[in-house]
């Protein structure tokens, strides 16, 4: 059982112990996440400021819908697959480390491949729940813009949709961190307990965070961890961006010409490197923290001894390994 107020320190110790193995096995999923982020930030978002139909609101809304559809169709699967695979590997290696077993990267990769589709749907559900408010608000704002042009004599409906959109954005801004925290243990539940249904994993994650008897709610612990990981991520991004900013300033047309036709690709790789390093290095910290909190909640709520937990995980591993 983790003493109150030391969860994040314990997670950092776990990161030091197993982080190198996690980083070694999460390069590819981190690249998938980077591809999704780069596509949306550097290609889709700038396109919202350009239109082929100035003065035509309906045409502009149509262009915005196409851009959103493109972002979800291309960036969405890359993001979900990357997060699901990275979570599976991180949870498995962290669980082995916390239970006193020797973490095996190959076993973690095999486990991730076995349950990748289950984790894909679980991650997709988490993202849908978290972003639903913002998506609905965006659609509402688009409808307000269209109605404002079509029904010029009656601005009531347009104003109502615009107000609904503003409220939706406020709710959506709250929903994303709330969903991240309340369902943060779901990947650990699915990997460690071999839960089949994504909905069952989400319910189980919520149950583990509830206040029961002498055990207080675990929401505050996860909230504190989320804040700390977010701050570390922000500092890492700012620091890496500053470092690469110096490198970028040294890159001139003359220096890139030494790379020949791949010069632009080299410049793009350097531009995206800070984002990759931040995703690759910081993302496992949240998985490690959530796995640590998962075991702590099992012990607090269900009175489990760490040896019993170890036996349970071993049984689940054997069941997965020999499952036809």
């Amino acid at each position: 059982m983790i003493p109150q107020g030391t969860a994040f320190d314990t997670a950092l110790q776990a990161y030091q112990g197993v982080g190198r193995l996690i980083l070694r096995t999460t390069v590819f999923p981190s690249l998938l996440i980077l591809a999704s982020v780069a596509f949306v930030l550097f290609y889709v978002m700038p396109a919202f400021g350009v239109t082929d139909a100035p003065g035509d609101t309906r045409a502009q809304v149509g262009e915005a819908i196409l851009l959103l559809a493109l972002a979800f169709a291309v960036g969405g699967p890359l993001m979900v697959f990357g997060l699901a695979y990275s979570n599976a590997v991180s949870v498995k290696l962290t669980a082995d480390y916390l239970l006193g077993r020797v973490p095996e990267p190959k076993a973690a990769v095999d486990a991730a491949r076995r349950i990748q589709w289950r984790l894909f749907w679980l991650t997709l559900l988490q993202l849908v729940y978290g972003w639903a408010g913002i998506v609905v608000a965006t659609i509402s704002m688009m409808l307000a813009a269209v109605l404002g042009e079509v029904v010029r004599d009656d601005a009531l409906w347009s104003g109502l949709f615009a107000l609904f959109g503003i409220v939706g954005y406020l709710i959506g801004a709250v929903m994303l961190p709330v969903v991240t925290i309340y369902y943060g243990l779901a990947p650990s539940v699915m990997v460690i307990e071999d839960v089949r249904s994504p909905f069952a994993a989400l319910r189980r994650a919520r149950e583990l965070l509830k206040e029961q008897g002498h055990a207080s709610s675990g929401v505050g612990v996860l909230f504190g961890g989320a804040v700390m990981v977010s701050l570390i991520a922000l500092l890492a991004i700012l620091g890496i961006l500053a470092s690469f900013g110096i490198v970028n300033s040294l890159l001139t047309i003359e220096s890139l010409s030494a790379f020949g036709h791949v010069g632009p690709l080299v410049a793009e790789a350097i531009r995206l490197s800070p984002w990759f390093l931040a995703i690759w290095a910081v993302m496992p910290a949240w998985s490690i923290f959530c796995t640590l909190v998962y075991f702590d909640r099992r012990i607090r709520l269900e009175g489990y001894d760490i040896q019993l937990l170890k036996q349970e995980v071993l049984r689940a591993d054997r069941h997965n390994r020999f499952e036809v």
Side-chain angles (χ1 to χ4, degrees):
M1 188 180 297
I2 306 170
Q4 293 289 342
T6 63
F8 195 76
D9 293 337
T10 308
L12 287 178
Q13 293 175 8
Y15 192 104
Q16 293 171 355
V18 78
R20 186 175 61 179
L21 295 178
I22 293 176
L23 294 176
R24 201 170 75 191
T25 51
T26 56
V27 174
F28 177 68
S30 298
L31 286 172
L32 290 180
I33 297 171
L34 174 67
S36 174
V37 172
F39 179 74
V40 173
L41 287 183
F42 302 128
Y43 296 98
V44 174
M45 296 300 290
F48 279 102
V50 180
T51 180
D52 293 329
D56 189 343
T57 304
R58 280 177 288 184
Q60 292 173 13
V61 169
E63 291 172 353
I65 291 173
L66 287 177
L67 286 173
L68 287 174
L70 185 63
F72 284 116
V74 178
L78 292 173
M79 174 67 72
V80 175
F81 268 117
L83 287 173
Y85 191 90
S86 179
N87 271 331
V89 171
S90 300
V91 169
K92 182 67 174 65
L93 289 173
T94 304
D96 287 343
Y97 174 81
L98 294 175
L99 294 174
R101 300 166 61 184
V102 178
E104 299 178 1
K106 185 179 182 303
V109 170
D110 291 341
R113 289 173 178 169
R114 279 194 301 269
I115 64 173
Q116 62 183 349
W117 281 108
R118 278 186 277 157
L119 268 173
F120 175 88
W121 294 115
L122 173 63
T123 305
L124 181 61
L125 278 175
Q126 288 178 296
L127 291 175
V128 168
Y129 288 168
W131 288 92
I134 294 176
V135 171
V136 171
T138 302
I139 295 173
S140 179
M141 295 296 281
M142 290 180 180
L143 287 173
V146 172
L147 286 173
E149 181 176 295
V150 174
V151 191
R152 295 182 184 276
D153 296 332
D154 186 2
L156 175 62
W157 286 105
S158 176
L160 286 176
F161 274 107
L163 179 61
F164 184 75
I166 294 172
V167 173
Y169 280 124
L170 294 175
I171 295 175
V174 176
M175 280 180 61
L176 186 58
V178 166
V179 168
T180 301
I181 292 168
Y182 275 80
Y183 296 120
L185 302 186
S188 300
V189 168
M190 180 166 280
V191 173
I192 296 171
E193 299 183 20
D194 192 30
V195 174
R196 300 288 170 173
S197 166
F199 295 100
L202 292 174
R203 286 195 300 270
R204 173 69 168 151
R206 287 282 291 110
E207 290 172 359
L208 286 173
L209 291 179
K210 289 180 179 178
E211 180 178 357
Q212 297 182 29
H214 64 281
S216 60
S217 171
V219 173
V221 177
L222 272 186
F223 176 77
V227 171
M228 292 300 297
V229 170
S230 299
L231 289 175
I232 291 174
L234 178 61
L235 292 174
I237 291 173
L238 292 177
I240 296 172
L241 282 175
S243 301
F244 275 83
I246 299 173
V247 177
N248 247 340
S249 65
L250 299 176
L251 288 176
T252 61
I253 296 176
E254 290 76 14
S255 63
L256 289 174
S257 64
F259 295 96
H261 295 298
V262 298
L265 293 177
V266 172
E268 190 69 12
I270 292 174
R271 183 172 70 132
L272 294 176
S273 294
W275 296 93
F276 169 75
L277 291 175
I279 292 170
W280 182 49
V282 177
M283 190 175 59
W286 177 245
S287 296
I288 291 172
F289 183 80
C290 288
T291 305
L292 181 69
V293 173
Y294 164 83
F295 282 120
D296 182 64
R297 298 303 293 176
R298 291 288 304 272
I299 294 170
R300 289 179 186 274
L301 298 180
E302 300 169 359
Y304 264 58
D305 181 83
I306 195 67
Q307 291 301 321
L308 292 177
L309 279 172
K310 182 176 181 179
Q311 293 171 15
E312 181 179 305
V313 173
L314 285 171
R315 285 195 299 271
D317 282 351
R318 285 194 295 269
H319 178 265
N320 283 330
R321 191 174 296 116
F322 298 109
E323 186 182 38
V324 179

